[in-house]
Amino acid sequence: MKEPPQTPKKRKREPGILCLSPYFSPEKRQKSQVAGPNCKDEALLAVELEPGEAAPSTDPLSLFYARSTTALYEELKLLKPILIQEQVAGDKWKVFVACTLLNKTSGKLALPVFWDMMRRWPTAWKMSQAKEEDLVYMLLRLGTYTIRARRLIALSREYIKDPPSLYDDRPSRPSTPVRSVKGKQFARYPATPVSHLPGAGPYALDSYRIFCTLADDPFSTEWKQVLPSDKELIKYLRWKWAVEEHREWCPVNGPGPSPSLSYLRTLQADLSQQGGQTPVTIGTTPSAAKLTSSTA
């Protein structure tokens, strides 16, 4: 007769040092699996949580929304509006020249003239010595050529005589109506180092505050205070607020809440059209290739 199987005896643990796993340490971040192995979104497979932070919801609708938002952000990064002001932001004189040409003129017409001017008069000194009739001839296709030619020469001379300094803000002349308040109330533009230059209107000052301040200081937040009226600057700031700050934005009230899925889709559709921008390639100018224009 066979003996019944005996239950194996438990092994005695050998004495040793007890080590606490870092997984249970509140000082370390924990990784939590929030989706199954079939989930294709790597960003949702491993999410770093702060101590005491709850894991993201595994609800199918929440996961679908997260994947859709992530995909939209990736597409928006590729739809960044490229404006000439950002390309030449390191030279404030060139930014003002570009704004003078783009004011009430489409970029399709203005940008070729701008790059022709930069080849012939690449510095403020050379343009200050230019003949008015030569500038007029080059500006014929843009309209108001006499006014623009005189303004460009005056701008270049003043830029040499009294160049802008980051430590010397000048009072701004233009003012704009407060669109969110009824009645005849006006908001003054803040003082800037370029406010004394000829042509320092709302469009040029907005361009300076958005692009040049970042060129001077990558950590500058001056661009967040700008509420422009130009449609291309508005489009650029809507993109920048959505992609870099994850906030909605409008030119009247400024930044808003986190962008909704419908807001991101609308922004994607607007940027995909790129109605006011036209690629321009001028001769062999390296920086001019693959540039798109803006309208004032």
Side-chain angles (χ1 to χ4, degrees), residues 33-46 63 67:
Q33 296 288 340
V34 299
N38 295 329
C39 180
K40 296 181 181 180
D41 194 342
E42 297 180 358
L44 297 176
L45 287 176
L63 294 177
R67 293 193 196 102

Side-chain angles (χ1 to χ4, degrees), residues 121-174:
W121 302 290
T123 63
W125 168 255
K126 290 189 176 182
M127 185 168 285
S128 68
Q129 304 300 311
K131 295 181 180 180
E132 182 179 325
E133 53 267 26
D134 292 338
L135 283 170
V136 167
Y137 178 77
M138 192 169 290
L139 292 166
L140 282 175
R141 71 189 84 171
L142 304 185
T144 61
Y145 37 82
T146 303
I147 296 176
R148 295 192 205 219
R150 292 175 180 174
R151 179 172 295 175
L152 289 174
I153 294 175
L155 164 66
S156 303
R157 291 177 178 175
E158 185 66 21
Y159 194 89
I160 295 171
K161 178 183 176 182
D162 190 5
S165 172
L166 296 179
Y167 307 101
D168 186 15
D169 287 343
R170 312 295 183 87
S172 299
R173 293 184 296 272

Side-chain angles (χ1 to χ4, degrees), residues 239-284:
W239 175 90
K240 192 174 182 67
W241 273 103
V243 172
E244 297 186 5
E245 302 294 327
H246 290 190
R247 300 276 298 276
E248 294 184 6
W249 181 86
C250 78
V252 176
N253 300 320
S258 299
S260 62
L261 195 61
S262 60
Y263 178 90
L264 294 177
R265 286 174 175 168
T266 302
L267 179 59
Q268 178 199 27
D270 293 342
L271 294 176
S272 298
Q273 295 177 359
Q274 298 291 341
Q277 302 192 355
T278 305
V280 177
T281 302
I282 308 299
T284 58

